[in-house]
Amino acid sequence: MSDPFKEAAGIRKVLTADETAEGRLDAWLTAKVGEDFSRSRIKALVKEGAVLLNGVPITDPQRKVRPGDSYQITLPEPEDPTPKGENIPLDVLFEDDDLIVISKPAGLVVHPAAGNWTGTLVNALIYHCGASLSGIGGVRRPGIVHRLDKDTTGVMVVAKNDVAHRHLSQQFADHGRTMPLERAYQAIVWGRPSQLVGTIDAALGRSTGDRTRRAVKRSDSHDADEAVTHYQVLERFHENPDATALASLIDCRLETGRTHQIRVHMAHIGHPLLGDVVYGAGFKTKANLLPEAAKKVVNRFPRQALHAYLLQFEHPRSGEVMHFESPLPDDMKELAAALRA
């Protein structure tokens, strides 16, 4: 039997809730629409007014579905799952037949996903590398063995064939315990950690309130993943006689590589990253304690102040230990200079 929703994509379709209908509107619609549309996509369509109840737009995806409700939903054409090459400039640090190492700028999403189907690093790599990219990471993530958040800058390595992909993936899964993989970041955080050198050992999992966020979890929680971050304070800005400081530049080394790990861990110990609107929004008013010139720079800083400055790994073919570093980007240099003033 054909799927009427695939056939009706792009037109309005009527759905009637039967006597068994229950739960949130976005969840119910997702179950009815099928695999072409994720729950997050359906949720977005509801918020955009693409769903009508008795001819009236409803924009609350959490609304409870009741038996007898009649909904009209306008479905866009499903996205093409295969990314296309796009001529997006890349800052290439190294390239050979097996891999490519780049310095990722802020604002560049690594791979296509809901809301970012084009303009990603994958689109740029397909254009740059052509058919040589490894497909082992999936259609939408060819060659990707690790990632950086959209607004995090720094060094990344991408595999150009399946052998390189497997070898590099093993190194990232090992987290440098028995292999030479090493990753280091620099971040500017609010305050100054009580210890100049320390380790944060706190398991992470999805936030119960917002599944796009991560949160510290009890280690015995069913969804907890081990997460360990080592940090060192490199510089203190506006230090006080009692050894406190308004902000600090820190070095972070990862023992694990969880999503948002540094951002969540630093917020967990009370020192979120400057510019982090997800995990550090409550600290934004601290900028009012700065001199006016520095306050302006901090308030207009558009992202979390995090840069992946070092990446080391073993080359999958030669076995040579490859070491790459990328200096702080200009916006973080300007931020640090303003805090020093």
Side-chain angles (χ1 to χ4, degrees):
M1 182 177 180
S2 64
D3 185 340
F5 293 98
K6 289 183 179 178
E7 295 172 359
I11 66 171
R12 187 165 292 169
K13 197 69 178 173
V14 177
L15 300 169
T16 301
D18 62 21
E19 65 276 5
T20 65
E22 61 180 1
R24 289 172 45 136
L25 176 61
D26 56 354
W28 183 78
L29 288 173
T30 302
K32 294 293 184 181
V33 169
E35 63 182 15
D36 280 338
F37 296 88
S38 66
R39 182 168 174 176
S40 61
R41 183 68 179 111
I42 293 297
K43 183 177 180 179
L45 287 172
V46 174
K47 289 183 174 181
E48 292 167 5
V51 177
L52 308 180
L53 173 60
N54 298 324
V56 178
I58 51 175
T59 57
D60 180 10
Q62 299 185 45
R63 180 190 177 93
K64 299 298 182 183
V65 175
R66 296 179 177 85
D69 282 350
S70 180
Y71 297 97
Q72 298 177 71
I73 181 171
T74 301
L75 297 171
E77 293 288 347
E79 299 284 351
D80 184 347
T82 305
K84 304 295 189 295
E86 297 177 43
N87 187 10
I88 301 170
L90 290 174
D91 182 2
V92 179
L93 305 181
F94 175 85
E95 182 176 10
D96 64 11
D97 291 339
D98 298 298
L99 54 87
I100 180 172
V101 180
I102 62 107
S103 183
K104 188 186 89 66
L108 183 63
V109 175
V110 170
H111 53 73
N116 293 288
W117 298 115
T118 61
T120 71
L121 175 61
V122 163
N123 297 111
L125 290 166
I126 292 173
Y127 181 91
H128 180 87
C129 302
S132 66
L133 275 188
S134 165
I136 209 171
V139 173
R140 287 183 177 161
R141 305 185 185 188
I144 302 299
V145 294
H146 70 125
R147 61 184 292 273
L148 297 174
D149 293 339
K150 172 184 176 182
D151 288 324
T152 297
T153 55
V155 187
M156 286 188 64
V157 60
V158 176
K160 293 174 68 175
N161 56 61
D162 290 352
V163 173
H165 196 291
R166 285 192 293 270
H167 196 286
L168 289 169
S169 295
Q170 289 171 0
Q171 294 184 61
F172 278 92
D174 180 70
H175 300 302
R177 294 185 176 96
T178 63
M179 297 180 178
L181 181 78
E182 184 176 357
R183 287 175 291 169
Y185 297 71
Q186 286 187 347
I188 300 177
V189 302
W190 287 113
R192 196 213 80 177
S194 57
Q195 296 178 310
L196 295 182
V197 178
T199 296
I200 306 168
D201 186 347
L204 299 178
R206 287 187 183 275
S207 169
T208 53
D210 183 348
R211 291 183 63 80
T212 65
R213 295 171 52 126
R214 296 300 187 270
V216 169
K217 300 277 187 173
R218 288 171 50 98
S219 59
D220 58 355
S221 177
H222 74 280
D223 62 341
D225 293 317
E226 178 191 14
V228 180
T229 302
H230 305 284
Y231 71 85
Q232 178 181 359
V233 177
L234 302 177
E235 185 176 358
R236 289 160 278 186
F237 305 112
H238 293 274
E239 188 172 16
N240 300 312
D242 61 358
T244 61
L246 193 59
S248 303
L249 175 67
I250 62 171
D251 182 293
C252 292
R253 309 274 169 144
L254 299 183
E255 232 181 80
T256 55
R258 308 303 178 194
T259 300
H260 299 177
Q261 179 172 318
I262 293 174
R263 297 166 64 187
V264 178
H265 271 176
M266 295 313 300
H268 177 63
I269 65 170
H271 302 285
L273 276 59
L274 269 70
D276 193 337
V277 297
V278 176
Y279 301 106
F283 282 69
K284 189 174 182 179
T285 56
K286 281 188 173 291
N288 295 328
L289 302 175
L290 290 165
E292 192 62 29
K295 182 171 75 171
K296 288 181 179 178
V297 174
V298 170
N299 284 337
R300 70 169 182 257
F301 193 75
R303 64 183 184 93
Q304 65 268 6
L306 183 62
H307 176 64
Y309 77 92
L310 182 152
L311 178 62
Q312 176 179 288
F313 56 88
E314 180 182 278
H315 193 282
R317 185 181 301 272
S318 68
E320 177 187 357
V321 175
M322 313 285 288
H323 183 99
F324 298 94
E325 293 193 25
S326 172
L328 277 180
D330 290 342
D331 61 348
M332 284 186 65
K333 286 180 181 177
E334 181 189 17
L335 182 63
L339 290 169
R340 291 188 190 103

